Amino acid sequence: MKTKEKTKDKKDKKDKELDFFESIGMLADEAGSKQPRKVKNALYKWGEDFDDEKFEPLPRIFLENLDVFQFTGSELAVLIQIFMWWTNRGKWPTCFYDAIASRTGLSTRMIMDTLKRLEEKQVRVPAIEYLVVKNRPSIVYKEVKWAKIGLIKRLKYSELPPEMKTKSNKGARFFDLSNLLDICSHLINQKNVAQKGEEAISRIRQTKSSEELVYDITSSKDFKEYSRFLRKHQ
């Protein structure tokens, strides 16, 4: 009797398993019958003619804040060329001056001068603060000098961190981008800070009793600069 019950239990369990996997199969069939989702990658924008082309991604935070970097002349063109040689997070890019010159139409001498300017560039970054002054909340928006100078730094092989040294790159000249990355990380942080403040102000606007308070905040010169910074990220 017990043997029959065990056999029945096994059969019931097997049937449940079949039902489960059959239902998974049905869901898979339904998903397969739906229209494929469009993936918004580079080819989605540029088209199939570019199928065999490579793309160099640039973060939006960098493109949205070109005014922070204040690029002049050939600086951005040369920097983009350096990005093209940067293929590995754990390895700084190395590139040839004559290759940059041929791609940008600039002389090698101009490339060298541009690289020097990028190494000596001093940028000012936004620094947003939320303060309470005389029991009233206020926004302080100011631009401060970034502590480190330069967006790139040329390194010799001997100056590379040990983990970046390999036999194949011995003798090459590398471009350290760590300061540029730190600036972009700061800009991301400030964007998030500004968006949180905007959300808080929007909530205050919904209460009539706060109209005077909102006016005090939004009529200030700091808020105008703060709003301009926010608009760049919309």
Side-chain angles (χ1 to χ4, degrees):
M1 187 70 179
K2 288 183 179 180
T3 304
K4 287 183 179 180
E5 288 177 358
K6 285 182 179 179
T7 304
K8 187 175 181 300
D9 289 340
K10 284 182 180 180
K11 186 175 181 302
D12 290 341
K13 185 178 179 182
K14 188 176 180 181
D15 288 343
K16 286 179 180 178
E17 288 175 350
L18 285 172
D19 291 343
F20 172 78
F21 287 107
E22 283 174 359
S23 65
I24 292 292
M26 289 172 64
L27 289 173
D29 290 339
E30 289 175 8
S33 65
K34 294 179 180 178
Q35 291 293 327
R37 184 181 178 185
K38 291 182 179 179
V39 179
K40 293 190 177 182
N41 55 18
L43 291 180
Y44 176 79
K45 295 188 290 185
W46 288 80
E48 294 180 358
D49 289 345
F50 294 82
D51 190 36
D52 295 327
E53 290 296 310
K54 295 179 180 179
F55 290 84
E56 299 302 326
L58 287 173
R60 280 181 175 260
I61 198 69
F62 174 76
L63 297 175
E64 290 168 348
N65 288 279
L66 293 180
D67 62 322
V68 170
F69 298 104
Q70 293 292 305
F71 292 115
T72 59
S74 56
E75 291 173 359
L76 182 56
V78 170
L79 188 58
I80 288 174
Q81 292 298 317
I82 293 173
F83 288 154
M84 288 181 63
W85 272 279
W86 189 29
T87 58
N88 189 330
R89 170 71 180 180
K91 182 180 176 182
W92 292 133
T94 180
C95 52
F96 301 98
Y97 301 147
D98 56 349
I100 298 177
S102 63
R103 292 177 178 184
T104 58
L106 302 170
S107 67
T108 304
R109 180 69 263 169
M110 290 177 71
I111 297 300
M112 300 296 287
D113 290 343
T114 302
L115 289 171
K116 186 178 180 182
R117 291 201 305 272
L118 287 171
E119 286 184 304
E120 297 174 350
K121 182 174 279 292
Q122 175 77 68
V123 301
R124 298 180 67 85
V125 296
I128 299 168
E129 291 183 86
Y130 299 115
L131 304 176
V132 178
V133 180
K134 297 181 180 179
N135 297 322
R136 308 284 287 186
S138 63
I139 295 171
V140 176
Y141 180 94
K142 55 187 176 181
E143 293 181 351
V144 299
K145 280 186 178 180
W146 187 250
K148 292 183 180 179
I149 294 175
L151 301 184
I152 65 169
K153 182 181 179 183
R154 281 177 281 186
L155 299 176
K156 296 178 181 178
Y157 178 83
S158 59
E159 297 172 314
L160 280 178
E163 64 273 13
M164 288 191 183
K165 292 181 179 180
T166 63
K167 290 182 180 179
S168 62
N169 62 21
K170 193 171 184 179
R173 179 61 67 92
F174 291 83
F175 293 89
D176 182 337
L177 303 175
S178 56
N179 197 35
L180 175 62
L181 295 178
D182 288 342
I183 293 171
C184 288
S185 295
H186 173 80
L187 292 171
I188 290 172
N189 173 266
Q190 293 301 290
K191 179 186 73 170
N192 293 336
V193 166
Q195 288 174 342
K196 286 180 181 177
E198 182 67 13
E199 290 169 4
I201 292 170
S202 295
R203 287 197 298 271
I204 294 172
R205 279 196 173 104
Q206 294 172 9
T207 60
K208 291 183 179 180
S209 59
S210 302
E211 287 179 359
E212 185 182 345
L213 174 60
V214 171
Y215 177 78
D216 287 347
I217 295 174
T218 58
S219 60
S220 68
K221 182 181 176 182
D222 281 323
F223 185 78
K224 291 175 183 177
E225 292 299 316
Y226 170 87
S227 298
R228 186 184 67 82
F229 179 74
L230 269 172
R231 282 197 299 274
K232 295 195 296 183
H233 306 287
Q234 292 177 349

